[in-house]
């Protein structure tokens, strides 16, 4: 791909995977050492449709060596696609985040020792983004990779290994239960308060929003809110005929643990039946087998198709600043 003197080349990154002749992730490097942000934005705008198609086919695109250093640069990069913003403060995300610009925010404020397990962004809610951008402002001193996993490939393997469980997921769907604190808890990967999550200052306003979303709920004595989703799909049919294991089953079953939440109570089938624990752990094991760890370099950007690819966060030490921006479906 090129735009005059602005050259972009395909590169190979360690640990990459190949499915049906397509690399995962697709990795692109800016080949113009003196490239400017204006030139980058122009190239992105010109190639937007092709990049969108490639993200859907490959699952994710890594952009390396482009002239980005700040949250504002990242905002300009994302804005060049001219896709609709999916604002964090209007979302039902569980995670505590801090906005850096209107469309750019920290990926998750959970402590570095907390592992964030594989998930599709906000698939535990009725409203979720179609695409995600991540930007490495500063890589961690140790650890801190972003694991990426192709859910269409996971669905194929899970269907072969645990066909009854896979079919139950597809047929019954899932329900998720989360206890939201009465104030943001940055010590948890799912510590966003009910006020922030629901955009409500009072319990009455929160209940109105929950009713609109068809949630069940219970107020706890300490002011926390236990909320249970309606039945949500666990499997998504993609436009080209593939199926994806589109949910937050692995994250909920393996990782929704803090002072308020117990993973064993966080997820059921849509009919209320408990999950087969062995099968749920097998899904997590299969996913780990086909996971690519994106080891960040400063200035990297990743475009992730949220319908095709799950992501997470490895534990780390030192300072790590990875920012995110979401795109509406």
């Amino acid at each position: 791909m090129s735009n005059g003197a602005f050259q972009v080349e395909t590169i190979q990154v360690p640990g990459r995977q190949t499915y049906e002749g397509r690399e995962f992730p697709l990795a692109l490097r800016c080949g113009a050492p003196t490239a400017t942000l204006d030139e980058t934005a122009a190239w992105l705008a010109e190639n937007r449709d092709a990049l969108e198609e490639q993200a859907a086919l490959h699952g994710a695109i890594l952009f390396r060596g482009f002239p980005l250093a700040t949250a504002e640069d990242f905002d300009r990069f994302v804005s060049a696609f001219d896709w609709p913003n999916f604002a964090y403060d209007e979302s039902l995300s569980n995670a505590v985040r801090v906005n850096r610009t209107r469309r750019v925010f920290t990926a998750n404020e959970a402590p570095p020792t907390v592992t964030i397990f594989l998930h599709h962004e906000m698939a535990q809610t009725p409203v979720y983004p179609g695409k995600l951008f991540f930007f490495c402002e500063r890589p961690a001193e140790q650890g801190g990779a972003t694991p990426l996993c192709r859910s269409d490939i996971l669905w194929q393997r899970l269907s072969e290994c645990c066909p009854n469980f896979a079919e139950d997921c597809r047929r019954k769907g899932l329900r998720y239960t989360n206890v939201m604190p009465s104030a943001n808890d940055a010590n948890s990967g799912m510590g966003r308060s009910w006020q922030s999550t629901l955009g409500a200052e009072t319990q009455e306003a929160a209940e109105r929003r929950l009713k609109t979303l068809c949630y069940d709920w219970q107020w706890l004595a300490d002011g926390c809110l236990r909320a249970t989703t309606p039945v949500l799909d666990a499997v998504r049919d993609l436009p080209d005929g593939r199926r994806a294991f589109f949910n937050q089953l692995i994250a909920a079953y393996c990782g929704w643990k803090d002072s308020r939440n117990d993973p064993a109570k966080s997820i059921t089938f849509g009919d209320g039946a408990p999950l087969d624990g062995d099968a749920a752990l097998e899904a997590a094991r299969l996913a780990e087998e086909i996971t690519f760890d994106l080891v960040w370099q400063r200035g990297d950007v990743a475009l992730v198709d949220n319908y095709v690819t799950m992501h997470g966060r490895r534990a780390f030490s030192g300072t790590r600043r990875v920012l995110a921006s979401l795109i509406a479906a």
Side-chain angles (χ1 to χ4, degrees):
M1 298 180 183
S2 65
N3 179 7
F6 191 85
Q7 300 290 326
V8 176
E9 58 188 355
T10 302
I11 60 172
Q12 297 180 340
V13 291
R16 67 194 181 281
Q17 302 168 12
T18 302
Y19 301 108
E20 297 179 345
R22 301 187 185 101
E23 290 193 348
F24 173 67
L26 174 65
L28 303 176
R29 182 172 63 195
C30 179
T34 60
T36 67
L37 194 54
D38 285 344
E39 290 172 326
T40 298
W43 179 83
L44 293 170
E46 180 179 338
N47 291 278
R48 179 187 69 173
D49 293 344
L51 291 168
E52 182 175 26
E53 180 180 356
Q54 292 299 314
L57 289 173
H58 291 264
I61 302 175
L62 170 64
F63 299 87
R64 178 158 285 173
F66 288 75
L68 286 79
T70 68
E72 291 73 22
D73 294 343
F74 178 43
D75 190 307
R76 179 77 185 281
F77 186 99
V78 174
S79 297
F81 287 84
D82 196 27
W83 287 334
N85 184 37
F86 189 105
Y88 163 69
D89 56 5
E90 297 172 5
S91 76
L92 297 169
S93 171
N94 294 347
V96 177
R97 312 174 194 254
V98 177
N99 271 91
R100 298 281 294 276
T101 72
R102 171 59 181 158
R103 68 183 309 154
V104 170
F105 43 83
T106 55
N108 196 306
E109 289 295 299
T113 54
V114 173
T115 294
I116 299 173
F117 289 86
L118 289 166
H119 62 282
H120 287 278
E121 188 69 18
M122 299 183 206
Q124 83 286 11
T125 81
V127 184
Y128 36 77
K131 302 177 187 66
L132 324 171
F133 284 95
F134 294 109
F135 167 62
C136 180
E137 192 174 38
R138 177 174 175 176
E141 276 125 39
Q142 287 189 323
T146 292
L148 301 172
C149 175
R150 283 273 298 268
S151 284
D152 55 334
I153 306 302
L154 175 58
W155 171 252
Q156 293 174 11
R157 298 193 177 192
L158 184 64
S159 296
E160 295 170 359
C161 185
C162 304
N164 293 334
F165 178 73
E167 179 60 17
D168 281 345
C169 287
R170 188 196 66 79
R171 184 170 55 86
K172 295 181 178 182
L174 299 167
R175 299 187 79 191
Y176 304 86
T177 297
N178 172 34
V179 178
M180 307 177 208
S182 57
N184 281 344
D185 176 9
N187 290 316
S188 169
M190 47 189 300
R192 192 180 181 192
S193 72
W194 60 261
Q195 295 95 327
S196 176
T197 302
L198 299 171
E201 295 184 2
T202 66
Q203 291 188 355
E204 292 76 14
E207 290 179 3
R208 287 195 295 271
R209 181 85 191 279
L210 290 166
K211 186 175 181 180
T212 299
L213 294 165
C214 298
Y215 277 57
D216 296 329
W217 68 87
Q218 177 187 7
W219 293 103
L220 305 182
D222 59 1
C224 295
L225 172 63
R226 177 182 290 117
T228 300
T229 70
V231 179
L232 301 176
D233 289 340
V235 179
R236 185 180 184 91
D237 291 328
L238 302 175
D240 60 4
R242 290 177 293 167
R243 277 184 172 165
F245 195 54
F246 181 81
N247 52 63
Q248 285 224 4
L249 185 151
I250 294 172
Y253 195 82
C254 298
W256 283 16
K257 182 176 178 60
D258 60 16
S259 60
R260 296 168 300 277
N261 290 279
D262 178 355
K265 300 176 181 177
S266 66
I267 185 170
T268 67
F269 285 119
D271 61 2
L275 302 186
D276 179 333
D278 290 339
L281 292 176
E282 182 67 5
R285 187 191 68 79
L286 290 171
E288 190 64 28
E289 280 187 354
I290 58 172
T291 288
F292 167 81
D293 270 5
L294 174 50
V295 178
W296 292 106
Q297 294 182 16
R298 191 184 297 267
D300 281 351
V301 173
L303 167 58
V304 177
D305 188 310
N306 193 39
Y307 300 143
V308 180
T309 299
M310 290 189 287
H311 68 280
R313 189 193 74 181
R314 303 295 191 193
F316 64 94
S317 61
T319 300
R320 174 189 189 267
R321 290 199 299 268
V322 173
L323 309 181
S325 184
L326 308 182
I327 304 301

